[in-house]
Amino acid sequence: MKKVLVTLANKDYINHAKSLFTNVREEGEWDGDLVLMVPEEDKEFVDVDLFNYNDVQILFLPNLEKGKYPLDLNTTLDVKFHPINCYKIHLFGNDYFKQWDWIFYTDLDVWYFNKIDFDLDNKRKDILYANTCNDISLQYQFVWLEEMIEQLNVSDKKKLEELKDYLGWNEPAIQSCFLLLNKQFIRNDKLKKYKEVHDKYYKLAVWSQGFWSLLFYGKWEILGDKFKTIYEIGYNKTGEEYNRIGDTIKDNIDYKNDGVIAQHFSQYFPQYSPNNLRFYPLYLNNRVKFENKYLRNKLLKILKSNNIDIEVLKKNNVYLMGGSILRLFMNLPLNTDLDFYFVDDKSFKNVDDYFRKNFKFLHKTPLFINYEVS
């Protein structure tokens, strides 16, 4: 049974994907494939080699039509309609995903604590699995505050009245941070149907996930309570019962022993916010893990291409230092000096002896000895 874990990022969120993929592999024990969806317009911001080296496939998606994203109303509501979320429709209508039996989508603002397990043998293949947003009904995925409704034109007010007659209007809506589907659920006509729904109601949408509820009414079931859609500590951030430090959150919940598989943070103190005191350091560490192995391999290739014996450097515990490290991280050409650091004098003498025998000596200072290798 082939399965894939998918997430979505534009140029502003690509770094977050690096941390997520590390997290799902280590804590989530994910043993399937990995895919990152990116809008075509952000292609230049993706280091494809870096992701491919970490066994992550990149799927570039056709750009969405401009001018219809996002909601543009003056309101006191904390509106969080992110246009990037609309690209999720490709999960349901893109044949690319039919190469896997099961497709699991996760948002980026999620942390995994236990093995990702769905009991797939007992899952239906003809429906979508998702959770609700604290059982909030569909009507609150669209404009409902009077101050928002007043800004609508006559045509859109009429469309809002039409929505109120929809069968699932007062029922819990889909929260699209976790989506599980079988390839049998993928149909090409869903892209067309989504566009029809979106183009008709986009001015009324507060969150993009309202569209999924309109499309899939009666065709989805609950994923399970081990996938938490609401970050209660952040959501109820004014409550004195939560451990808050100024504008930051200190989270002491024992998610792993509580059996939680994943926690979705949403805009409430995501793991990539410095204000999340517990998860931000872990997030940064995962990003470094994702990049380090690739950069190390990239450096080794450069050294080998210049006929430098890697084993000599390894045996003497040589460290790279200086601006070349920054150039590696920034994906810039390494046409600069490579500065080596040595832990002791013996290692320094061993490496210096090797370079003196094999490369052109340039000059010596009290701090450095320079050789030309290319």
Side-chain angles (χ1 to χ4, degrees):
M1 184 184 300
K2 295 179 64 178
K3 59 183 180 180
V4 61
L5 182 146
V6 185
T7 193
L8 170 65
N10 62 8
K11 62 182 179 181
D12 299 320
Y13 290 86
I14 288 169
N15 280 331
H16 303 336
K18 300 172 185 176
S19 179
L20 174 76
F21 288 132
T22 302
N23 175 225
V24 298
R25 278 212 188 98
E26 294 185 356
E27 283 77 18
E29 300 180 46
W30 182 256
D31 56 0
D33 293 328
L34 299 169
V35 169
L36 173 63
M37 299 190 294
V38 181
E40 186 74 30
E41 62 186 357
D42 291 335
K43 190 172 184 176
E44 64 181 292
F45 300 98
V46 182
D47 187 342
V48 176
D49 289 340
L50 168 62
F51 283 95
N52 288 168
Y53 181 82
N54 284 280
D55 296 321
V56 178
Q57 300 178 45
I58 304 293
L59 174 62
F60 291 109
L61 304 173
N63 299 327
L64 291 173
E65 183 179 352
K66 298 293 184 182
K68 294 186 176 180
Y69 310 86
L71 175 71
D72 185 21
L73 294 176
N74 295 317
T75 174
T76 56
L77 182 70
D78 182 23
V79 176
K80 291 292 182 182
F81 185 122
H82 294 290
I84 184 67
N85 286 329
C86 296
Y87 283 91
K88 293 178 186 178
I89 186 58
H90 284 274
L91 295 164
F92 311 109
N94 194 322
D95 284 345
Y96 171 84
F97 292 107
K98 288 185 177 179
Q99 60 186 292
W100 293 281
D101 298 302
W102 288 95
I103 301 92
F104 173 55
Y105 171 84
T106 173
D107 273 354
L108 289 170
D109 50 349
V110 171
W111 198 268
Y112 288 81
F113 301 92
N114 285 293
K115 184 175 181 178
I116 303 171
D117 182 28
F118 304 110
D119 189 20
L120 294 177
D121 290 335
N122 293 310
K123 285 285 189 289
R124 289 175 54 181
K125 299 178 180 179
D126 59 338
I127 63 169
L128 170 70
Y129 287 93
N131 284 334
T132 69
C133 185
N134 254 15
D135 290 328
I136 295 174
S137 63
L138 177 60
Q139 63 180 304
Y140 295 110
Q141 302 293 326
F142 296 89
V143 295
W144 78 91
L145 294 177
E146 194 62 37
E147 62 185 64
M148 301 165 71
I149 296 174
E150 289 176 354
Q151 297 174 64
L152 301 177
N153 60 36
V154 174
S155 175
D156 287 324
K157 286 180 179 178
K158 183 177 180 180
K159 292 175 184 176
L160 185 60
E161 290 302 312
E162 292 175 0
L163 278 175
K164 293 179 181 179
D165 293 329
Y166 176 73
L167 286 175
W169 188 246
N170 295 308
E171 297 178 22
I174 290 174
Q175 221 297 1
S176 63
C177 56
F178 303 115
L179 300 168
L180 176 67
L181 61 146
N182 187 272
K183 64 181 179 181
Q184 293 183 19
F185 196 75
I186 300 172
R187 289 175 46 183
N188 299 114
D189 63 341
K190 286 178 181 173
L191 287 171
K192 181 180 178 181
K193 289 181 178 179
Y194 172 81
K195 190 176 187 311
E196 292 172 354
V197 169
H198 175 272
D199 289 355
K200 185 174 183 179
Y201 297 117
Y202 77 93
K203 289 183 180 179
L204 307 177
V206 177
W207 290 281
S208 58
Q209 56 204 23
F211 298 139
W212 315 130
S213 296
L214 291 177
L215 280 173
F216 303 132
Y217 179 74
K219 300 176 182 178
W220 68 282
E221 292 184 1
I222 295 296
L223 178 63
D225 59 6
K226 292 183 179 180
F227 295 85
K228 305 293 185 182
T229 60
I230 293 293
Y231 189 40
E232 295 292 349
I233 293 178
Y235 187 74
N236 297 299
K237 53 185 179 291
T238 58
E240 293 181 1
E241 67 271 30
Y242 297 107
N243 185 11
R244 300 186 68 230
I245 306 173
D247 291 326
T248 61
I249 282 290
K250 178 66 175 178
D251 183 346
N252 293 316
I253 296 175
D254 190 355
Y255 295 95
K256 187 169 184 64
N257 286 327
D258 287 348
V260 174
I261 292 178
Q263 174 65 64
H264 174 237
F265 295 106
S266 187
Q267 67 264 38
Y268 307 110
F269 302 94
Q271 75 274 26
Y272 45 79
S273 167
N275 291 337
N276 193 321
L277 299 183
R278 175 179 177 181
F279 290 101
Y280 185 65
L282 300 175
Y283 155 78
L284 290 177
N285 187 54
N286 276 354
R287 272 184 57 181
V288 171
K289 283 183 181 179
F290 191 88
E291 295 172 344
N292 267 2
K293 189 176 179 181
Y294 167 75
L295 294 176
R296 181 176 180 273
N297 182 67
K298 184 177 180 180
L299 175 61
L300 291 177
K301 285 183 178 180
I302 293 172
L303 295 174
K304 289 178 180 178
S305 69
N306 287 281
N307 299 314
I308 296 175
D309 188 343
I310 303 301
E311 293 306 314
V312 172
L313 303 181
K314 288 181 178 179
K315 289 177 181 178
N316 290 282
N317 296 317
V318 176
Y319 291 84
L320 181 67
M321 58 180 288
S324 54
I325 298 175
L326 183 60
R327 297 181 74 87
L328 277 171
F329 271 96
M330 296 177 69
N331 202 29
L332 296 173
L334 216 59
N335 53 353
T336 183
D337 291 344
L338 291 181
D339 300 323
F340 293 140
Y341 171 80
F342 302 90
V343 295
D344 54 46
D345 189 59
K346 181 181 179 181
S347 297
F348 170 75
K349 289 180 178 178
N350 289 340
V351 175
D352 181 48
D353 183 58
Y354 164 74
F355 273 85
R356 189 176 295 275
K357 291 177 180 178
N358 293 278
F359 299 99
K360 181 181 177 181
F361 171 80
L362 294 179
H363 60 270
K364 180 178 181 179
T365 73
L367 295 176
F368 295 97
I369 299 178
N370 284 47
Y371 293 91
E372 184 180 299
V373 297
S374 68

